[in-house]
mmCIF file of all heavy atoms in Angstrom:
data_model
loop_
_atom_site.group_PDB
_atom_site.id
_atom_site.type_symbol
_atom_site.label_atom_id
_atom_site.label_comp_id
_atom_site.label_asym_id
_atom_site.label_seq_id
_atom_site.Cartn_x
_atom_site.Cartn_y
_atom_site.Cartn_z
ATOM 1 N N ASN I 152 3.897 10.467 4.649
ATOM 2 C CA ASN I 152 3.302 10.022 3.393
ATOM 3 C C ASN I 152 2.596 11.188 2.716
ATOM 4 O O ASN I 152 2.316 12.213 3.336
ATOM 5 C CB ASN I 152 2.328 8.865 3.641
ATOM 6 C CG ASN I 152 1.170 9.260 4.557
ATOM 7 O OD1 ASN I 152 0.414 10.188 4.260
ATOM 8 N ND2 ASN I 152 1.035 8.579 5.685
ATOM 9 N N GLY I 153 2.303 11.028 1.440
ATOM 10 C CA GLY I 153 1.582 12.066 0.695
ATOM 11 C C GLY I 153 1.204 11.545 -0.680
ATOM 12 O O GLY I 153 1.635 10.456 -1.090
ATOM 13 N N ALA I 154 0.397 12.321 -1.389
ATOM 14 C CA ALA I 154 -0.110 11.895 -2.696
ATOM 15 C C ALA I 154 0.856 12.273 -3.811
ATOM 16 O O ALA I 154 1.581 13.265 -3.718
ATOM 17 C CB ALA I 154 -1.469 12.544 -2.957
ATOM 18 N N ILE I 155 0.880 11.457 -4.865
ATOM 19 C CA ILE I 155 1.517 11.826 -6.128
ATOM 20 C C ILE I 155 0.393 11.880 -7.155
ATOM 21 O O ILE I 155 -0.301 10.882 -7.368
ATOM 22 C CB ILE I 155 2.577 10.793 -6.573
ATOM 23 C CG1 ILE I 155 3.669 10.638 -5.509
ATOM 24 C CG2 ILE I 155 3.176 11.190 -7.920
ATOM 25 C CD1 ILE I 155 4.719 9.569 -5.851
ATOM 26 N N VAL I 156 0.184 13.047 -7.724
ATOM 27 C CA VAL I 156 -0.894 13.232 -8.694
ATOM 28 C C VAL I 156 -0.273 13.387 -10.072
ATOM 29 O O VAL I 156 0.563 14.268 -10.283
ATOM 30 C CB VAL I 156 -1.750 14.460 -8.332
ATOM 31 C CG1 VAL I 156 -2.714 14.813 -9.451
ATOM 32 C CG2 VAL I 156 -2.497 14.197 -7.027
ATOM 33 N N ILE I 157 -0.649 12.497 -10.986
ATOM 34 C CA ILE I 157 -0.087 12.513 -12.342
ATOM 35 C C ILE I 157 -1.196 12.866 -13.321
ATOM 36 O O ILE I 157 -2.171 12.126 -13.471
ATOM 37 C CB ILE I 157 0.509 11.141 -12.721
ATOM 38 C CG1 ILE I 157 1.397 10.608 -11.596
ATOM 39 C CG2 ILE I 157 1.275 11.245 -14.036
ATOM 40 C CD1 ILE I 157 1.704 9.131 -11.733
ATOM 41 N N ARG I 158 -1.047 14.024 -13.970
ATOM 42 C CA ARG I 158 -2.074 14.456 -14.915
ATOM 43 C C ARG I 158 -1.652 14.106 -16.344
ATOM 44 O O ARG I 158 -0.460 14.021 -16.645
ATOM 45 C CB ARG I 158 -2.303 15.964 -14.763
ATOM 46 C CG ARG I 158 -2.806 16.315 -13.363
ATOM 47 C CD ARG I 158 -3.453 17.679 -13.271
ATOM 48 N NE ARG I 158 -4.184 17.796 -12.018
ATOM 49 C CZ ARG I 158 -3.621 18.063 -10.846
ATOM 50 N NH1 ARG I 158 -2.327 18.244 -10.754
ATOM 51 N NH2 ARG I 158 -4.350 18.137 -9.758
ATOM 52 N N PRO I 159 -2.636 13.887 -17.216
ATOM 53 C CA PRO I 159 -2.295 13.490 -18.589
ATOM 54 C C PRO I 159 -1.608 14.632 -19.331
ATOM 55 O O PRO I 159 -1.956 15.798 -19.137
ATOM 56 C CB PRO I 159 -3.654 13.151 -19.210
ATOM 57 C CG PRO I 159 -4.664 13.833 -18.358
ATOM 58 C CD PRO I 159 -4.081 13.969 -16.983
ATOM 59 N N ARG I 160 -0.630 14.292 -20.151
ATOM 60 C CA ARG I 160 0.135 15.316 -20.864
ATOM 61 C C ARG I 160 -0.726 16.119 -21.819
ATOM 62 O O ARG I 160 -0.537 17.322 -21.968
ATOM 63 C CB ARG I 160 1.305 14.661 -21.612
ATOM 64 C CG ARG I 160 2.138 15.641 -22.412
ATOM 65 C CD ARG I 160 3.608 15.348 -22.333
ATOM 66 N NE ARG I 160 4.122 15.416 -20.983
ATOM 67 C CZ ARG I 160 4.519 16.547 -20.381
ATOM 68 N NH1 ARG I 160 4.476 17.698 -21.011
ATOM 69 N NH2 ARG I 160 4.963 16.535 -19.160
ATOM 70 N N ASP I 161 -1.684 15.447 -22.466
ATOM 71 C CA ASP I 161 -2.546 16.181 -23.404
ATOM 72 C C ASP I 161 -3.738 16.830 -22.678
ATOM 73 O O ASP I 161 -4.613 17.409 -23.312
ATOM 74 C CB ASP I 161 -3.031 15.259 -24.527
ATOM 75 C CG ASP I 161 -3.864 14.095 -24.009
ATOM 76 O OD1 ASP I 161 -4.144 14.048 -22.784
ATOM 77 O OD2 ASP I 161 -4.229 13.225 -24.812
ATOM 78 N N GLY I 162 -3.779 16.708 -21.339
ATOM 79 C CA GLY I 162 -4.849 17.339 -20.575
ATOM 80 C C GLY I 162 -6.198 16.656 -20.721
ATOM 81 O O GLY I 162 -7.198 17.120 -20.184
ATOM 82 N N LYS I 163 -6.238 15.538 -21.455
ATOM 83 C CA LYS I 163 -7.536 14.884 -21.726
ATOM 84 C C LYS I 163 -7.691 13.631 -20.877
ATOM 85 O O LYS I 163 -6.796 12.790 -20.808
ATOM 86 C CB LYS I 163 -7.621 14.497 -23.203
ATOM 87 C CG LYS I 163 -7.684 15.685 -24.136
ATOM 88 C CD LYS I 163 -8.130 15.227 -25.531
ATOM 89 C CE LYS I 163 -8.039 16.370 -26.519
ATOM 90 N NZ LYS I 163 -6.887 16.227 -27.434
ATOM 91 N N TYR I 164 -8.857 13.531 -20.251
ATOM 92 C CA TYR I 164 -9.202 12.327 -19.499
ATOM 93 C C TYR I 164 -10.206 11.513 -20.319
ATOM 94 O O TYR I 164 -10.947 12.080 -21.123
ATOM 95 C CB TYR I 164 -9.870 12.709 -18.172
ATOM 96 C CG TYR I 164 -8.997 13.494 -17.226
ATOM 97 C CD1 TYR I 164 -8.994 14.891 -17.238
ATOM 98 C CD2 TYR I 164 -8.187 12.837 -16.307
ATOM 99 C CE1 TYR I 164 -8.205 15.609 -16.355
ATOM 100 C CE2 TYR I 164 -7.399 13.554 -15.417
ATOM 101 C CZ TYR I 164 -7.414 14.944 -15.453
ATOM 102 O OH TYR I 164 -6.639 15.642 -14.573
ATOM 103 N N PRO I 165 -10.262 10.211 -20.096
ATOM 104 C CA PRO I 165 -11.291 9.416 -20.793
ATOM 105 C C PRO I 165 -12.653 9.536 -20.100
ATOM 106 O O PRO I 165 -13.446 8.616 -20.128
ATOM 107 C CB PRO I 165 -10.734 7.993 -20.712
ATOM 108 C CG PRO I 165 -9.877 7.983 -19.499
ATOM 109 C CD PRO I 165 -9.354 9.375 -19.312
ATOM 110 N N PHE I 166 -12.869 10.659 -19.430
ATOM 111 C CA PHE I 166 -14.155 10.946 -18.783
ATOM 112 C C PHE I 166 -14.256 12.463 -18.718
ATOM 113 O O PHE I 166 -13.257 13.169 -18.913
ATOM 114 C CB PHE I 166 -14.223 10.319 -17.378
ATOM 115 C CG PHE I 166 -12.980 10.486 -16.538
ATOM 116 C CD1 PHE I 166 -12.735 11.667 -15.847
ATOM 117 C CD2 PHE I 166 -12.038 9.458 -16.443
ATOM 118 C CE1 PHE I 166 -11.595 11.820 -15.076
ATOM 119 C CE2 PHE I 166 -10.893 9.611 -15.663
ATOM 120 C CZ PHE I 166 -10.670 10.792 -14.985
ATOM 121 N N PRO I 167 -15.458 12.995 -18.468
ATOM 122 C CA PRO I 167 -15.593 14.455 -18.445
ATOM 123 C C PRO I 167 -14.620 15.082 -17.434
ATOM 124 O O PRO I 167 -14.489 14.582 -16.312
ATOM 125 C CB PRO I 167 -17.038 14.672 -18.006
ATOM 126 C CG PRO I 167 -17.738 13.385 -18.324
ATOM 127 C CD PRO I 167 -16.716 12.301 -18.188
ATOM 128 N N THR I 168 -13.928 16.125 -17.854
ATOM 129 C CA THR I 168 -12.924 16.745 -16.988
ATOM 130 C C THR I 168 -13.585 17.294 -15.722
ATOM 131 O O THR I 168 -14.534 18.070 -15.800
ATOM 132 C CB THR I 168 -12.224 17.875 -17.748
ATOM 133 O OG1 THR I 168 -11.639 17.310 -18.921
ATOM 134 C CG2 THR I 168 -11.116 18.505 -16.917
ATOM 135 N N PRO I 169 -13.091 16.845 -14.554
ATOM 136 C CA PRO I 169 -13.700 17.318 -13.303
ATOM 137 C C PRO I 169 -13.393 18.789 -13.045
ATOM 138 O O PRO I 169 -12.383 19.324 -13.523
ATOM 139 C CB PRO I 169 -13.046 16.430 -12.243
ATOM 140 C CG PRO I 169 -11.785 15.924 -12.867
ATOM 141 C CD PRO I 169 -12.006 15.890 -14.347
ATOM 142 N N ALA I 170 -14.251 19.453 -12.277
ATOM 143 C CA ALA I 170 -14.048 20.858 -11.934
ATOM 144 C C ALA I 170 -12.793 21.007 -11.082
ATOM 145 O O ALA I 170 -12.106 22.027 -11.137
ATOM 146 C CB ALA I 170 -15.256 21.388 -11.175
ATOM 147 N N LYS I 171 -12.491 19.986 -10.295
ATOM 148 C CA LYS I 171 -11.423 20.092 -9.313
ATOM 149 C C LYS I 171 -11.112 18.684 -8.833
ATOM 150 O O LYS I 171 -11.963 17.803 -8.916
ATOM 151 C CB LYS I 171 -11.973 20.916 -8.143
ATOM 152 C CG LYS I 171 -10.975 21.355 -7.143
ATOM 153 C CD LYS I 171 -11.623 22.490 -6.361
ATOM 154 C CE LYS I 171 -11.419 22.356 -4.901
ATOM 155 N NZ LYS I 171 -12.117 23.405 -4.154
ATOM 156 N N ASP I 172 -9.893 18.482 -8.349
ATOM 157 C CA ASP I 172 -9.657 17.180 -7.746
ATOM 158 C C ASP I 172 -9.079 17.335 -6.351
ATOM 159 O O ASP I 172 -8.474 18.361 -6.021
ATOM 160 C CB ASP I 172 -8.823 16.270 -8.644
ATOM 161 C CG ASP I 172 -7.449 16.807 -8.943
ATOM 162 O OD1 ASP I 172 -6.717 17.128 -7.981
ATOM 163 O OD2 ASP I 172 -7.112 16.934 -10.125
ATOM 164 N N VAL I 173 -9.312 16.318 -5.539
ATOM 165 C CA VAL I 173 -8.944 16.421 -4.134
ATOM 166 C C VAL I 173 -8.464 15.060 -3.641
ATOM 167 O O VAL I 173 -9.067 14.036 -3.951
ATOM 168 C CB VAL I 173 -10.135 16.936 -3.297
ATOM 169 C CG1 VAL I 173 -11.301 15.967 -3.314
ATOM 170 C CG2 VAL I 173 -9.718 17.219 -1.868
ATOM 171 N N PRO I 174 -7.334 15.026 -2.927
ATOM 172 C CA PRO I 174 -6.927 13.755 -2.337
ATOM 173 C C PRO I 174 -7.785 13.443 -1.113
ATOM 174 O O PRO I 174 -8.147 14.355 -0.360
ATOM 175 C CB PRO I 174 -5.470 13.997 -1.925
ATOM 176 C CG PRO I 174 -5.376 15.466 -1.721
ATOM 177 C CD PRO I 174 -6.380 16.105 -2.639
ATOM 178 N N ILE I 175 -8.140 12.200 -0.951
ATOM 179 C CA ILE I 175 -8.807 11.733 0.275
ATOM 180 C C ILE I 175 -7.845 10.701 0.857
ATOM 181 O O ILE I 175 -7.857 9.533 0.461
ATOM 182 C CB ILE I 175 -10.167 11.075 -0.033
ATOM 183 C CG1 ILE I 175 -11.102 12.023 -0.782
ATOM 184 C CG2 ILE I 175 -10.807 10.517 1.241
ATOM 185 C CD1 ILE I 175 -11.762 13.082 0.062
ATOM 186 N N ILE I 176 -6.958 11.173 1.728
ATOM 187 C CA ILE I 176 -5.925 10.285 2.258
ATOM 188 C C ILE I 176 -6.431 9.696 3.571
ATOM 189 O O ILE I 176 -6.590 10.412 4.562
ATOM 190 C CB ILE I 176 -4.600 11.039 2.437
ATOM 191 C CG1 ILE I 176 -4.125 11.561 1.071
ATOM 192 C CG2 ILE I 176 -3.551 10.142 3.092
ATOM 193 C CD1 ILE I 176 -2.821 12.331 1.108
ATOM 194 N N ILE I 177 -6.721 8.408 3.528
ATOM 195 C CA ILE I 177 -7.225 7.733 4.724
ATOM 196 C C ILE I 177 -6.025 7.174 5.485
ATOM 197 O O ILE I 177 -5.181 6.481 4.912
ATOM 198 C CB ILE I 177 -8.220 6.623 4.351
ATOM 199 C CG1 ILE I 177 -9.426 7.241 3.623
ATOM 200 C CG2 ILE I 177 -8.662 5.840 5.588
ATOM 201 C CD1 ILE I 177 -10.380 6.242 3.029
ATOM 202 N N GLY I 178 -5.933 7.534 6.751
ATOM 203 C CA GLY I 178 -4.782 7.102 7.535
ATOM 204 C C GLY I 178 -5.194 6.836 8.976
ATOM 205 O O GLY I 178 -6.371 6.594 9.269
ATOM 206 N N GLU I 179 -4.196 6.892 9.833
ATOM 207 C CA GLU I 179 -4.430 6.575 11.244
ATOM 208 C C GLU I 179 -3.690 7.563 12.132
ATOM 209 O O GLU I 179 -2.620 8.053 11.768
ATOM 210 C CB GLU I 179 -3.873 5.179 11.579
ATOM 211 C CG GLU I 179 -4.618 4.039 10.939
ATOM 212 C CD GLU I 179 -3.758 2.800 10.843
ATOM 213 O OE1 GLU I 179 -2.541 2.882 11.086
ATOM 214 O OE2 GLU I 179 -4.321 1.754 10.506
ATOM 215 N N TRP I 180 -4.258 7.810 13.296
ATOM 216 C CA TRP I 180 -3.582 8.615 14.302
ATOM 217 C C TRP I 180 -3.077 7.688 15.408
ATOM 218 O O TRP I 180 -3.858 7.011 16.064
ATOM 219 C CB TRP I 180 -4.519 9.674 14.878
ATOM 220 C CG TRP I 180 -3.842 10.482 15.930
ATOM 221 C CD1 TRP I 180 -4.064 10.441 17.274
ATOM 222 C CD2 TRP I 180 -2.778 11.425 15.730
ATOM 223 N NE1 TRP I 180 -3.206 11.296 17.918
ATOM 224 C CE2 TRP I 180 -2.413 11.910 16.996
ATOM 225 C CE3 TRP I 180 -2.104 11.895 14.595
ATOM 226 C CZ2 TRP I 180 -1.389 12.856 17.166
ATOM 227 C CZ3 TRP I 180 -1.097 12.827 14.762
ATOM 228 C CH2 TRP I 180 -0.757 13.301 16.029
ATOM 229 N N TRP I 181 -1.738 7.683 15.583
ATOM 230 C CA TRP I 181 -1.098 6.835 16.597
ATOM 231 C C TRP I 181 -0.610 7.692 17.751
ATOM 232 O O TRP I 181 -0.012 8.740 17.520
ATOM 233 C CB TRP I 181 0.099 6.105 15.978
ATOM 234 C CG TRP I 181 -0.292 4.962 15.106
ATOM 235 C CD1 TRP I 181 -0.644 5.020 13.783
ATOM 236 C CD2 TRP I 181 -0.379 3.591 15.482
ATOM 237 N NE1 TRP I 181 -0.942 3.765 13.322
ATOM 238 C CE2 TRP I 181 -0.790 2.867 14.350
ATOM 239 C CE3 TRP I 181 -0.153 2.895 16.679
ATOM 240 C CZ2 TRP I 181 -0.979 1.481 14.371
ATOM 241 C CZ3 TRP I 181 -0.341 1.519 16.696
ATOM 242 C CH2 TRP I 181 -0.757 0.828 15.551
ATOM 243 N N GLN I 182 -0.826 7.211 18.968
ATOM 244 C CA GLN I 182 -0.224 7.871 20.120
ATOM 245 C C GLN I 182 1.101 7.228 20.467
ATOM 246 O O GLN I 182 2.017 7.892 20.939
ATOM 247 C CB GLN I 182 -1.156 7.782 21.328
ATOM 248 C CG GLN I 182 -1.952 9.041 21.484
ATOM 249 C CD GLN I 182 -2.845 9.040 22.685
ATOM 250 O OE1 GLN I 182 -2.851 8.120 23.494
ATOM 251 N NE2 GLN I 182 -3.612 10.086 22.798
ATOM 252 N N LEU I 183 1.162 5.923 20.200
ATOM 253 C CA LEU I 183 2.404 5.193 20.475
ATOM 254 C C LEU I 183 3.475 5.683 19.508
ATOM 255 O O LEU I 183 3.200 5.899 18.327
ATOM 256 C CB LEU I 183 2.144 3.698 20.265
ATOM 257 C CG LEU I 183 3.259 2.739 20.639
ATOM 258 C CD1 LEU I 183 3.522 2.789 22.138
ATOM 259 C CD2 LEU I 183 2.891 1.327 20.219
ATOM 260 N N ASP I 184 4.686 5.862 20.004
ATOM 261 C CA ASP I 184 5.804 6.242 19.150
ATOM 262 C C ASP I 184 5.975 5.186 18.053
ATOM 263 O O ASP I 184 5.990 3.984 18.322
ATOM 264 C CB ASP I 184 7.067 6.355 19.995
ATOM 265 C CG ASP I 184 8.250 6.767 19.152
ATOM 266 O OD1 ASP I 184 8.352 7.956 18.837
ATOM 267 O OD2 ASP I 184 9.059 5.887 18.781
ATOM 268 N N LEU I 185 6.126 5.631 16.804
ATOM 269 C CA LEU I 185 6.123 4.698 15.681
ATOM 270 C C LEU I 185 7.365 3.807 15.657
ATOM 271 O O LEU I 185 7.308 2.689 15.154
ATOM 272 C CB LEU I 185 5.992 5.469 14.367
ATOM 273 C CG LEU I 185 4.668 6.234 14.202
ATOM 274 C CD1 LEU I 185 4.715 7.127 12.974
ATOM 275 C CD2 LEU I 185 3.483 5.275 14.128
ATOM 276 N N VAL I 186 8.464 4.292 16.187
ATOM 277 C CA VAL I 186 9.677 3.466 16.233
ATOM 278 C C VAL I 186 9.509 2.363 17.283
ATOM 279 O O VAL I 186 9.862 1.202 17.068
ATOM 280 C CB VAL I 186 10.917 4.337 16.508
ATOM 281 C CG1 VAL I 186 12.158 3.480 16.688
ATOM 282 C CG2 VAL I 186 11.115 5.332 15.374
ATOM 283 N N GLU I 187 8.879 2.748 18.380
ATOM 284 C CA GLU I 187 8.565 1.775 19.427
ATOM 285 C C GLU I 187 7.556 0.734 18.900
ATOM 286 O O GLU I 187 7.695 -0.470 19.142
ATOM 287 C CB GLU I 187 8.010 2.517 20.652
ATOM 288 C CG GLU I 187 7.406 1.654 21.741
ATOM 289 C CD GLU I 187 8.424 0.783 22.464
ATOM 290 O OE1 GLU I 187 9.636 0.957 22.213
ATOM 291 O OE2 GLU I 187 7.999 -0.083 23.254
ATOM 292 N N LEU I 188 6.578 1.204 18.146
ATOM 293 C CA LEU I 188 5.585 0.305 17.550
ATOM 294 C C LEU I 188 6.280 -0.737 16.679
ATOM 295 O O LEU I 188 5.974 -1.929 16.739
ATOM 296 C CB LEU I 188 4.592 1.117 16.710
ATOM 297 C CG LEU I 188 3.606 0.291 15.875
ATOM 298 C CD1 LEU I 188 2.650 -0.479 16.772
ATOM 299 C CD2 LEU I 188 2.823 1.192 14.919
ATOM 300 N N ASP I 189 7.225 -0.293 15.876
ATOM 301 C CA ASP I 189 7.940 -1.193 14.991
ATOM 302 C C ASP I 189 8.685 -2.258 15.785
ATOM 303 O O ASP I 189 8.665 -3.439 15.445
ATOM 304 C CB ASP I 189 8.924 -0.382 14.156
ATOM 305 C CG ASP I 189 9.590 -1.242 13.107
ATOM 306 O OD1 ASP I 189 8.907 -1.584 12.138
ATOM 307 O OD2 ASP I 189 10.766 -1.591 13.297
ATOM 308 N N ARG I 190 9.328 -1.812 16.847
ATOM 309 C CA ARG I 190 10.082 -2.745 17.678
ATOM 310 C C ARG I 190 9.148 -3.811 18.259
ATOM 311 O O ARG I 190 9.459 -4.992 18.260
ATOM 312 C CB ARG I 190 10.785 -1.976 18.799
ATOM 313 C CG ARG I 190 11.992 -2.655 19.389
ATOM 314 C CD ARG I 190 12.450 -1.993 20.685
ATOM 315 N NE ARG I 190 11.383 -1.863 21.678
ATOM 316 C CZ ARG I 190 10.845 -2.876 22.353
ATOM 317 N NH1 ARG I 190 11.257 -4.096 22.151
ATOM 318 N NH2 ARG I 190 9.873 -2.657 23.226
ATOM 319 N N ARG I 191 7.984 -3.371 18.697
ATOM 320 C CA ARG I 191 7.039 -4.306 19.305
ATOM 321 C C ARG I 191 6.463 -5.277 18.272
ATOM 322 O O ARG I 191 6.275 -6.455 18.557
ATOM 323 C CB ARG I 191 5.927 -3.534 20.014
ATOM 324 C CG ARG I 191 6.425 -2.773 21.243
ATOM 325 C CD ARG I 191 5.415 -1.759 21.731
ATOM 326 N NE ARG I 191 4.148 -2.388 22.101
ATOM 327 C CZ ARG I 191 3.852 -2.802 23.333
ATOM 328 N NH1 ARG I 191 4.699 -2.635 24.312
ATOM 329 N NH2 ARG I 191 2.701 -3.369 23.574
ATOM 330 N N MET I 192 6.203 -4.787 17.062
ATOM 331 C CA MET I 192 5.660 -5.673 16.024
ATOM 332 C C MET I 192 6.687 -6.702 15.577
ATOM 333 O O MET I 192 6.367 -7.853 15.331
ATOM 334 C CB MET I 192 5.147 -4.870 14.832
ATOM 335 C CG MET I 192 3.891 -4.087 15.162
ATOM 336 S SD MET I 192 2.845 -3.720 13.764
ATOM 337 C CE MET I 192 3.912 -2.706 12.801
ATOM 338 N N ALA I 193 7.958 -6.270 15.463
ATOM 339 C CA ALA I 193 9.015 -7.198 15.068
ATOM 340 C C ALA I 193 9.171 -8.302 16.116
ATOM 341 O O ALA I 193 9.668 -9.381 15.826
ATOM 342 C CB ALA I 193 10.332 -6.455 14.875
ATOM 343 N N ASP I 194 8.711 -8.034 17.316
ATOM 344 C CA ASP I 194 8.765 -9.009 18.391
ATOM 345 C C ASP I 194 7.478 -9.853 18.432
ATOM 346 O O ASP I 194 7.213 -10.536 19.404
ATOM 347 C CB ASP I 194 8.975 -8.262 19.721
ATOM 348 C CG ASP I 194 9.539 -9.170 20.795
ATOM 349 O OD1 ASP I 194 10.335 -10.058 20.451
ATOM 350 O OD2 ASP I 194 9.156 -9.001 21.964
ATOM 351 N N GLY I 195 6.688 -9.774 17.354
ATOM 352 C CA GLY I 195 5.489 -10.608 17.261
ATOM 353 C C GLY I 195 4.316 -10.082 18.055
ATOM 354 O O GLY I 195 3.306 -10.766 18.218
ATOM 355 N N ASN I 196 4.404 -8.830 18.520
ATOM 356 C CA ASN I 196 3.334 -8.269 19.331
ATOM 357 C C ASN I 196 2.448 -7.407 18.452
ATOM 358 O O ASN I 196 2.852 -6.338 18.013
ATOM 359 C CB ASN I 196 3.970 -7.426 20.447
ATOM 360 C CG ASN I 196 2.938 -6.826 21.366
ATOM 361 O OD1 ASN I 196 1.794 -6.603 20.955
ATOM 362 N ND2 ASN I 196 3.327 -6.581 22.599
ATOM 363 N N PHE I 197 1.234 -7.880 18.160
ATOM 364 C CA PHE I 197 0.367 -7.022 17.361
ATOM 365 C C PHE I 197 -0.891 -6.632 18.127
ATOM 366 O O PHE I 197 -1.987 -6.599 17.610
ATOM 367 C CB PHE I 197 0.084 -7.584 15.966
ATOM 368 C CG PHE I 197 -0.400 -9.004 15.892
ATOM 369 C CD1 PHE I 197 -1.727 -9.291 15.708
ATOM 370 C CD2 PHE I 197 0.510 -10.050 15.974
ATOM 371 C CE1 PHE I 197 -2.162 -10.597 15.625
ATOM 372 C CE2 PHE I 197 0.076 -11.358 15.888
ATOM 373 C CZ PHE I 197 -1.276 -11.637 15.714
ATOM 374 N N ASP I 198 -0.707 -6.293 19.386
ATOM 375 C CA ASP I 198 -1.829 -5.846 20.206
ATOM 376 C C ASP I 198 -1.956 -4.325 20.247
ATOM 377 O O ASP I 198 -2.900 -3.798 20.822
ATOM 378 C CB ASP I 198 -1.676 -6.359 21.644
ATOM 379 C CG ASP I 198 -1.634 -7.878 21.682
ATOM 380 O OD1 ASP I 198 -2.261 -8.500 20.796
ATOM 381 O OD2 ASP I 198 -0.962 -8.441 22.573
ATOM 382 N N ASP I 199 -1.006 -3.598 19.651
ATOM 383 C CA ASP I 199 -1.076 -2.136 19.680
ATOM 384 C C ASP I 199 -2.031 -1.645 18.601
ATOM 385 O O ASP I 199 -2.117 -2.230 17.530
ATOM 386 C CB ASP I 199 0.313 -1.538 19.437
ATOM 387 C CG ASP I 199 1.292 -1.969 20.505
ATOM 388 O OD1 ASP I 199 0.996 -1.765 21.692
ATOM 389 O OD2 ASP I 199 2.341 -2.544 20.158
ATOM 390 N N ASN I 200 -2.694 -0.540 18.891
ATOM 391 C CA ASN I 200 -3.652 -0.004 17.937
ATOM 392 C C ASN I 200 -3.520 1.509 17.832
ATOM 393 O O ASN I 200 -3.137 2.167 18.792
ATOM 394 C CB ASN I 200 -5.077 -0.325 18.384
ATOM 395 C CG ASN I 200 -5.417 -1.775 18.133
ATOM 396 O OD1 ASN I 200 -5.365 -2.240 17.003
ATOM 397 N ND2 ASN I 200 -5.727 -2.493 19.188
ATOM 398 N N PRO I 201 -3.891 2.042 16.655
ATOM 399 C CA PRO I 201 -3.983 3.503 16.572
ATOM 400 C C PRO I 201 -5.164 3.970 17.406
ATOM 401 O O PRO I 201 -6.006 3.171 17.831
ATOM 402 C CB PRO I 201 -4.217 3.753 15.090
ATOM 403 C CG PRO I 201 -4.759 2.496 14.539
ATOM 404 C CD PRO I 201 -4.236 1.382 15.394
ATOM 405 N N LEU I 202 -5.235 5.282 17.609
ATOM 406 C CA LEU I 202 -6.326 5.834 18.409
ATOM 407 C C LEU I 202 -7.556 6.071 17.537
ATOM 408 O O LEU I 202 -8.686 5.961 17.991
ATOM 409 C CB LEU I 202 -5.858 7.159 19.020
ATOM 410 C CG LEU I 202 -6.518 7.594 20.297
ATOM 411 C CD1 LEU I 202 -6.368 6.519 21.362
ATOM 412 C CD2 LEU I 202 -5.873 8.894 20.769
#
Side-chain angles (χ1 to χ4, degrees):
N152 61 58
I155 301 177
V156 170
I157 313 164
R158 298 198 166 80
R160 179 140 299 275
D161 61 5
K163 293 195 187 106
Y164 297 92
F166 44 81
T168 302
K171 191 162 135 184
D172 61 54
V173 64
I175 303 283
I176 299 180
I177 299 172
E179 291 158 349
W180 179 252
W181 284 85
Q182 262 182 4
L183 186 65
D184 181 78
L185 296 172
V186 175
E187 170 67 8
L188 172 66
D189 186 73
R190 203 193 53 71
R191 292 166 60 92
M192 290 205 297
D194 201 35
N196 181 333
F197 51 101
D198 300 330
D199 299 306
N200 285 301
L202 206 57

